Amino acid sequence: MQSIKLRSHVGSDGILHLEIPVGITDKEIEVTVTYQQLEPSAPPKTPEELGWPAGFFEQTYGSCQDDPIVIDYDIFSITSSLI
């Protein structure tokens, strides 16, 4: 099995055309294509667009700094034994 990595361009027709010389003639081969878009199709949404109140993260960042959250791992062991 051979692996080839390349960059290509999808034209305005929305179809990716690949021409890859593999050095094999008159044989059947299996081809797997994995593609990843290199540029986002839309800009990321703001926290407000995702439903968070304006300024939420700026106002709450570091709010637990002086009162850290303590996780009681004994609770996890008790609940996991009930499952």
Side-chain angles (χ1 to χ4, degrees):
M1 183 161 113
Q2 299 294 322
S3 176
I4 300 171
K5 184 174 183 176
L6 56 93
R7 282 188 179 216
S8 190
H9 177 78
V10 178
S12 60
D13 60 359
I15 298 174
L16 173 64
H17 299 274
L18 298 175
E19 292 186 32
I20 304 171
V22 293
I24 301 172
T25 58
D26 201 27
K27 302 282 183 185
E28 287 192 29
I29 63 171
E30 181 177 299
V31 178
T32 302
V33 176
T34 303
Y35 68 91
Q36 177 178 350
Q37 186 172 325
L38 296 178
E39 53 199 51
S41 56
K45 292 185 177 184
T46 65
E48 290 81 9
E49 291 172 326
L50 294 171
W52 293 97
F56 175 79
F57 293 103
E58 292 80 2
Q59 294 170 6
T60 59
Y61 176 78
S63 61
C64 293
Q65 183 175 2
D66 295 329
D67 188 18
I69 297 172
V70 178
I71 299 174
D72 186 357
Y73 289 101
D74 290 336
I75 300 263
F76 289 115
S77 63
I78 293 169
T79 54
S80 64
S81 65
L82 296 174
I83 296 176

